Amino acid sequence: MPYPVAWTLPEPMLISVNGPDLPSLHTAEPKWDGFRTLVSVDAGRVVLRSRRGTEMGPAFTEVMAGAAQLPDGTVLDGVM
């Protein structure tokens, strides 16, 4: 049975882009193909969640195994 993580994941960083093809005072975030995820390691426990908090670990076992080798206190934010 999973045990609760002692701390919560930080909010994901969102990109905002201003460009010549955007109207004035508008911003956008590029859409990358994949899943936006946050991975954290705390006391040897790996947590992999979507930016909305959905547990993603069971779908990405290879990422979970690799992240288990990271040092405690590691937090990564990215797209897989």
Side-chain angles (χ1 to χ4, degrees):
M1 180 161 122
Y3 54 94
V5 175
W7 53 284
T8 59
L9 292 172
E11 290 294 316
M13 299 184 312
L14 299 178
I15 300 170
S16 51
V17 177
N18 293 317
D21 52 343
L22 290 173
S24 178
L25 302 176
H26 283 73
T27 60
E29 181 178 5
K31 172 63 177 116
W32 306 105
D33 287 339
F35 296 101
R36 181 67 178 272
T37 57
L38 295 159
V39 63
S40 66
V41 182
D42 183 39
R45 174 153 162 75
V46 177
V47 176
L48 183 66
R49 296 195 190 280
S50 74
R51 69 181 254 190
R52 298 183 195 264
T54 303
E55 178 61 43
M56 303 286 287
F60 296 98
T61 56
E62 307 88 12
V63 174
M64 296 289 287
Q69 299 175 36
L70 296 170
D72 282 345
T74 299
V75 178
L76 302 172
D77 178 1
V79 177
M80 326 194 284

